Amino acid sequence: MGVFAGTTAAACVTSSLALTPTTPFSSNKRTTITTSSSKCRIRATHHQNLTAFPSTSHLFYAKSLRTTKPRIFLPHLIASLVDQTYIMVKPDGVQRGVVGDIISRFEKKGFKLTGLKLYQCSKDLAEEHYKDLKLKSFFPKLIDYITSGPVVCMAWEGVGVVASARKLIGATDPLQAEPGTIRGDLAVQTGRNIVHGSDSPENGKREIALWFKEGELCEWTPVLTPWLRE
């Protein structure tokens, strides 16, 4: 039935064009061709300068031909996304024996450890590290806490390592930290929240330079790297 209807319509158009005198098309004028022998009506619009295709109308340009901004993927630029962060297990974490657990979480995530040492922090170093908090009322107590025992200093490297480390560590207040995070699982008070992590890539570089001397960082390539990043 569909084939018959299509054939009839085609015949109607052919008959219409054959029986109607030729009417010259003029620029920008709409012409209607009608025959009395059928009820078919064909409307054709003549677009000026049609052969030159000067128009950007969708009638003359397919979507696939429209200019789009090219998307280029350059795998070698991934290296520029690699950040560094400073992670420190605080004196309470060392005393409680959770250093191995904390290191394991970062290793399992897939980040690369480039620096590690047990260190007794001096007052001057602690004040320099926390200088942004110098005007806070709890600053003296914080310095006493950080210098009360040895800390474990770590430098970690990886794509998005700063933001990811903050998620692994959890909220500053352990009671607000999500289960599964280091603080959410292992700490109960802000004043004893086990671990420190850089809050930005810039601070990551600054803090690593502050806590590690030249030659204390190791550059190496983990054999698992191809299974962690494209």
Side-chain angles (χ1 to χ4, degrees), residues 101-179:
D101 187 2
I102 293 172
I103 294 176
S104 177
R105 295 188 186 216
F106 285 91
E107 287 182 324
K108 289 177 180 178
K109 181 68 176 179
F111 295 128
K112 181 173 73 173
L113 181 64
T114 59
L116 174 66
K117 66 180 180 180
L118 183 69
Y119 187 71
Q120 179 63 52
C121 177
S122 67
K123 184 177 180 180
D124 290 341
L125 179 57
E127 289 179 345
E128 178 63 23
H129 177 79
Y130 288 111
K131 63 181 181 180
D132 292 342
L133 303 175
K134 195 169 186 177
L135 298 179
K136 300 293 184 179
S137 60
F138 58 81
F139 184 73
K141 190 175 181 180
L142 175 61
I143 300 303
D144 290 340
Y145 160 54
I146 293 299
T147 58
S148 63
V151 298
V152 172
C153 309
M154 294 181 283
W156 290 91
E157 183 179 290
V159 176
V161 67
V162 174
S164 186
R166 299 287 288 183
K167 291 181 179 179
L168 286 173
I169 291 171
T172 301
D173 182 354
L175 297 180
Q176 301 297 322
E178 294 292 330

Side-chain angles (χ1 to χ4, degrees), residues 17 46 55 60 62 76 78 89 116 159 161 168 182 184 186 208 225:
L17 293 175
H46 181 70
S55 174
F60 302 101
H76 66 276
I78 290 179
V89 182
L116 174 66
V159 176
V161 67
L168 286 173
I182 295 172
L186 304 175
I208 288 174
T225 297

Side-chain angles (χ1 to χ4, degrees), residues 52-104:
F53 286 93
S55 174
T56 59
S57 169
H58 69 280
L59 295 175
F60 302 101
Y61 286 87
K63 282 187 176 182
S64 60
L65 298 179
R66 291 180 183 175
T67 303
T68 57
K69 194 172 183 179
R71 298 178 180 179
I72 303 176
F73 174 65
L74 301 176
H76 66 276
L77 292 181
I78 290 179
S80 65
L81 303 177
V82 174
D83 294 327
Q84 295 177 313
T85 190
Y86 174 68
I87 303 297
M88 178 175 63
V89 182
K90 298 177 180 180
D92 54 320
V94 176
Q95 293 287 350
R96 291 177 55 192
V98 296
V99 174
D101 187 2
I102 293 172
I103 294 176
S104 177

